[in-house]
Amino acid sequence: MDAHRKDTSSSDIPALCRACEVRHRGVCGALSASQLTNLNKISTRKLIGSGAELIGENQEANSYANIISGVVKLTKMMADGRQQIVGLQFAPDFLGRPFRIDSGITADAATDVNVCSFPKAVLERMIKETPELEHKLLEQTLKELDEARDWMLTLGRKTASEKVASFLYLIATHANPESDSDSASFQLPLTRSDIADFLGLTIETVSRQLTRLRKDNVVHISNNRHVEVPDLAALAERAAQ
């Protein structure tokens, strides 16, 4: 058994936490058995339907959450009322901004999303009491910063073909974080319009590039949303990764 999974059979850890596949990779991996027990008593597992709002921009946040499965779409409202997709979150990302009264973004469920939610005050107290938890949150924040910088490169320097391939590669490598397969299968979490918005392209360009990838057998697309990637390395090459 892997070292980081050696505590999963411990009777000291709540059954729900033991069964959680993202616990060790998420912020809860920094908590002791007693802390997990205390958090479990006031946490709530929720299944959020696709399209539902999880966090509203500039709304006061009373809770935080770990993403257990699914894809969350992050958007920012412009002064003239237009919205821009600024990022995507996957399991085991942390949803919320500790020690901030409100959220600077809107978070919507791009797919059905399973989250583990807990009160803001409780987690912020744990952060102050547990340096390891604070360190884990910092790690996740820096990871998001690195990913944002990589996406800036994608948007600023890559061709339309590379942008679309990069988007598919992003989903393929995050849709099932436990998988170590050389292939992937997933449902597109965004509409063609949202993909175009995210990539700074037109809908026609997105559709054209998806068709090109399909004709070249880099991806297989069925029912307009289901994508199969037989060779992740080939997709990575098309994405200039």
Side-chain angles (χ1 to χ4, degrees), residues 33-48:
S34 61
Q35 288 173 319
L36 283 171
T37 298
N38 291 334
L39 190 61
N40 182 71
K41 292 176 181 177
I42 45 85
S43 64
T44 305
R45 288 286 285 267
K46 301 177 182 178
L47 179 62
I48 312 297

Side-chain angles (χ1 to χ4, degrees), residues 2 15 29 45 47 51 58 60-61 68 72 102 111 116 121 131 152 185 191 199 206 212 216 234 241:
D2 292 343
R45 288 286 285 267
L47 179 62
N58 298 323
E60 184 174 350
I68 307 302
V72 173
D102 57 11
T111 65
C116 184
M152 286 175 64
S185 177
T191 64
L199 298 177
V206 169
R212 180 176 297 177
D216 292 345
Q241 293 291 114

